[in-house]
């Protein structure tokens, strides 16, 4: 017998070590280059709001193929060239680290690519001014599930605890809470994009995806990607208790539209052949439309309380 979080840790480590996750699912940065560009510009704005400190770090947790970071750094190089952060990637998979290194050295020849460092966990990031971003990272962190013990009945002159079979599952993700506490305590500017409900809701959200289809999470550990809804309310509460200001969560569609998703995509599409231009516009709509990725996915920022309202969170 193995507790669920230990099982999930083992299964996902095997999955990310051996398989190409992007054969099973498609993430926002793989749908549109504008996603990473906008997150890069968000990071540059936050760095400036911090007072443009020298020696700042841009960290990404769970960088996948490195696409988001490559797009972010390209946009930063063009729009905010004075922001020259050291780049830190938190990645547990050696296979994906190699994919990320190849992507970033191809996208950013020279100094920028040489400045990339990898870490096993967020706790390993060196001290200093930090802008942190993560897309579809927190949903991969291991959860625990509990169900209420039950209700008291009386039988034969004694109390008997009867398990309540209707009791809903409650989920907790301790590693995610630990990471947001750490980001809050560091006074970082952090942006978390992931999927989950606005308010904490009981229920079993554990899901396995194999070949783009739902699979049995327990049958073949390492064969499927295991994720769970991110409990934004729980993360926000932990971050506030640790002294941070929390902004959002707001629906991804609203967040990206406020940052200029459609304007930027329109500019890119203008120079493309009609078929490519149409695909680019559809990519943007896929990220933003409520019945696609625009509503289930959320953006939430955890920032030092002295920092101004981050871009994309204006009401
Ligand atoms: N952010 C990327 C990839 C999402 S897939 C994108 O949007 O395309 C999840 C990523 O998190 C993968 O890179 C995976 O290897 C990494 N990951 C999952 N669990 C991790 C953990 N516990 N520690 C570090 N990285 C982890």
């Amino acid at each position: 017998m193995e507790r669920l979080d230990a099982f999930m840790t083992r299964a996902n480590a095997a999955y990310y070590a051996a398989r190409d996750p992007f054969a099973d699912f498609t993430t926002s940065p793989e749908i549109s280059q504008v996603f990473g560009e906008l997150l890069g510009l968000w990071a540059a704005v936050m760095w400036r709001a911090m007072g443009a400190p020298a020696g700042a770090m841009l960290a990404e947790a769970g960088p996948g193929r490195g696409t988001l970071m490559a797009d972010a750094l390209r946009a930063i190089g063009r729009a905010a060239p004075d922001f020259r952060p050291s780049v830190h990637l938190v990645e547990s998979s050696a296979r994906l680290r190699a994919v990320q290194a190849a992507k970033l050295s191809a996208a950013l020849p020279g100094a920028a690519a040489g400045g990339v460092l990898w870490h096993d966990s967020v706790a390993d990031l060196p001290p200093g001014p930090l802008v942190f971003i993560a897309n579809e990272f927190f949903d991969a962190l291991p959860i625990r599930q509990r169900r209420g013990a039950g209700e008291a009945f009386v039988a034969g002159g004694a109390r008997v605890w009867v398990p309540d079979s209707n009791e809903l599952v409650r989920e907790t993700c301790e590693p995610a809470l630990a990471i947001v506490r750490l980001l809050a305590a560091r006074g970082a500017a952090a942006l978390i994009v992931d999927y989950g409900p606005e308010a904490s809701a009981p229920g079993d959200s554990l899901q396995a995806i194999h070949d783009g289809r739902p699979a049995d999470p327990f049958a073949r550990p390492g064969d499927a990607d295991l994720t769970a809804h991110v409990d934004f309310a729980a993360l926000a509460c932990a971050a506030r208790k640790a002294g941070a200001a929390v902004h959002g969560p707001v629906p991804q569609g609203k967040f990206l539209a406020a940052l200029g998703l459609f304007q930027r995509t329109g500019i890119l599409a203008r120079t493309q052949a009609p078929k490519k231009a149409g695909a680019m516009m559809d990519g943007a709509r896929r990220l933003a439309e409520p019945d696609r990725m625009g509503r289930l996915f959320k953006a939430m920022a955890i920032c030092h309380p002295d920092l101004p309202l981050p871009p994309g969170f204006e009401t």
Side-chain angles (χ1 to χ4, degrees), residues 12 16 21-22 25 27-30 35 60-65 68 90-93 96 100 119-121 134-137 139-142:
N12 268 348
Y16 286 109
F22 301 94
F25 56 88
T27 57
S28 297
E30 305 297 334
F35 184 83
E60 186 190 354
R65 282 178 172 162
L68 195 171
V90 176
E91 175 58 70
S92 49
S93 157
L96 285 174
Q100 292 150 16
H119 307 277
D120 290 326
S121 77
N135 181 59
E136 288 211 54
F137 167 72
D139 66 354
L141 298 179

Side-chain angles (χ1 to χ4, degrees), residues 188-207:
L191 179 66
I192 297 171
V193 183
D194 225 306
Y195 79 109
E198 206 113 351
S200 304
D204 175 11
S205 78
L206 183 68
Q207 129 177 330

Side-chain angles (χ1 to χ4, degrees), residues 1 50 125 139 170 221 233 300:
M1 198 145 85
M50 290 170 156
L125 291 171
D139 66 354
R170 296 183 312 277
M300 186 171 84

Side-chain angles (χ1 to χ4, degrees), residues 111-129:
V116 180
L117 290 168
W118 279 266
H119 307 277
D120 290 326
S121 77
V122 177
D124 295 333
L125 291 171

Side-chain angles (χ1 to χ4, degrees), residues 69-70 73-74 77-78 100-116:
M69 186 55 87
L73 292 175
R74 191 183 57 247
R78 286 194 194 143
Q100 292 150 16
K103 177 83 177 204
L104 289 175
S105 61
L108 312 152
V116 180

